[in-house]
Amino acid sequence: MNIIPAIDLKKGKVVKAIQGDRTSYQPIDLITRYSSNPITFIKNLIITYKPSTIYLADLDLLDGDGDNID
């Protein structure tokens, strides 16, 4: 079985999804010990779990509020 981690990005940070209410999503570093910096978060994810695929959801783009391309 291949498990694909899904990472939500909002305002340039990795956020924790809470029951689909995007207005209440907070940067993950406020909730856990992990960095909300997407590059740091993904590097640590790769080192720890070695996924072959990672799904990134750009919540700003999906909400029509800019994007996280940078």
Side-chain angles (χ1 to χ4, degrees), residues 34-57:
Y34 301 105
S35 172
S36 65
N37 176 290
I39 302 301
T40 302
F41 186 88
I42 291 169
K43 282 182 180 178
N44 288 328
L45 180 74
I46 291 169
I47 290 167
T48 305
Y49 299 104
K50 299 171 182 49
S52 59
T53 305
I54 298 173
Y55 173 80
L56 296 175

Side-chain angles (χ1 to χ4, degrees), residues 7-45:
I7 299 171
D8 291 329
L9 299 176
K10 187 169 181 152
K11 305 295 182 209
K13 296 184 184 268
V14 176
V15 295
K16 179 171 174 50
I18 302 169
Q19 299 179 341
D21 179 13
R22 291 183 184 160
T23 59
S24 67
Y25 290 10
Q26 295 292 319
I28 203 160
D29 61 348
L30 297 177
I31 301 163
T32 68
R33 60 186 170 95
Y34 301 105
S35 172
S36 65
N37 176 290
I39 302 301
T40 302
F41 186 88
I42 291 169
K43 282 182 180 178
N44 288 328
L45 180 74

